[in-house]
Every structure is written in C-alpha cells, then in structure tokens.
Amino acid sequence: MRRTLVTFLTLLVLWVLVAQVNHLLGPAQVFLFAGGLFVTYAALMLPLRDGLAAVLMAGLLCDATEPVRLGTHLLLFAAAHAVVFNIRDRLPREETVARVIVALLVNLALFLALSFVLVGRGPSPGDIWPRLILDLVCSQLFLALVAPWFFALQLRTLVLTRVERDPLA
C-alpha cells in the first residue's frame, strides 16, 4: 500500500507541474499532455497491483480537472498500463532511454485516443486537427525533456521512503 501511495504522490507532483506549465502556456494557446508519464514508470517497474492502483488514482485526478466524462482518463490509463505491463519483460526497462521511448509511445497513443474522443464534441471537428498536431508535437518534446528527471524522481522517492532498494547501493 505504501508503494502505491508514494507513486501516486509523485504523480500528483507531475499533475501540478503540468497544470502550471499549461497555465503559463495558456496565452500562447498551447496545451501539453503528459499522460504517458502517468503510466510508464508504474507499468514498467512496479508490481501489477501497486502500479495499477496508482495509475487509476492518477486517472481519476486527471478526469476531475479535464472537460471529459468521469472515467475517461481512468480507462485510457488502465488500458495503457495493461498493454505496457504485458510487454515489459521484452523491454530493457532498466534503461532510461527505453523508458523515455515507451513514455513517448504511450503518450502518443493516449493523446490520439483522447483526441478522437473529444474531437466530435466541437462544432467543426476537421478544423481542430492542426492545433491538435501542434499540441502533440509540443507535448512530445516536453515529455522527452522531462521524462528522465521524472523517472529519477519516482525512483528516489521510492528509495527515500524505503519502499524500494537503491540500485546504486
């Protein structure tokens, strides 16, 4: 249970940071989506129950603040977690570069799925795709820059709370 709570707290920190960056980018009309970071570490490194519980709580947190039906992020994050968890034994998950690549792919899939869910709500769905592509490119660049730091934060937090062993020790 402690592993789940500590992981969720790091995801809460990520949520706050992304919300603040999006607030700063509001005048430029750019929205960053970092859903891949909410799923990747938990799916690659944690046991199924602990990782999935943290991801589900993060999905509910994202649902609470986004203009989607309750459970949208929860279901998308759960599906992404299940896919990554099932292929994690075939990935070099101890390497940061591999984690970043997985996070980028998960972020792309989640962004596209969420876009298709939301694009039908607008008055002219075809006109919004150029902006979505810009948001996706900016989100992927942001994720590629922030992911190594965030993965290190998650590992250090788990080590400091004595949930995981220090891999360097």
Side-chain angles (χ1 to χ4, degrees):
M1 183 63 147
R2 197 167 57 171
R3 180 180 289 132
T4 301
L5 291 176
V6 169
T7 303
F8 174 69
L9 289 177
T10 62
L11 296 176
L12 181 64
V13 168
L14 174 67
W15 175 79
V16 168
L17 290 174
V18 171
Q20 290 302 311
V21 171
N22 279 330
H23 178 72
L24 290 173
L25 293 174
Q29 297 183 349
V30 174
F31 175 78
L32 298 179
F33 178 74
L37 284 178
F38 284 96
V39 175
T40 303
Y41 188 86
L44 288 177
M45 305 306 293
L46 300 180
L48 178 63
R49 179 182 290 168
D50 296 332
L52 185 60
V55 166
L56 292 177
M57 289 189 296
L60 286 174
L61 179 67
C62 291
D63 279 335
T65 59
E66 298 293 327
V68 295
R69 286 195 165 91
L70 185 63
T72 302
H73 284 92
L74 178 127
L75 291 174
L76 290 174
F77 286 6
H81 184 277
V83 169
V84 174
F85 187 85
N86 283 324
I87 65 168
R88 77 183 193 168
D89 291 335
R90 295 181 214 122
L91 301 171
R93 58 188 174 142
E94 297 296 329
E95 296 178 19
T96 303
V97 174
R99 291 182 200 165
V100 172
I101 291 170
V102 170
L104 288 168
L105 292 172
V106 170
N107 200 59
L108 173 66
L110 289 171
F111 186 91
L112 291 175
L114 201 55
S115 295
F116 281 114
V117 167
L118 295 176
V119 80
R121 296 172 129 187
S124 56
D127 294 339
I128 198 166
W129 281 105
R131 180 194 159 149
L132 288 176
I133 291 170
L134 174 69
D135 287 348
L136 175 61
V137 169
C138 292
S139 296
Q140 295 292 77
L141 290 173
F142 173 77
L143 192 133
L145 291 173
V146 172
W149 166 80
F150 186 65
F151 293 146
L153 173 74
Q154 288 183 301
L155 176 62
R156 284 289 137 214
T157 305
L158 289 168
V159 169
L160 287 173
T161 56
R162 297 185 179 144
V163 174
E164 296 285 334
R165 288 187 171 186
D166 191 354
L168 301 176

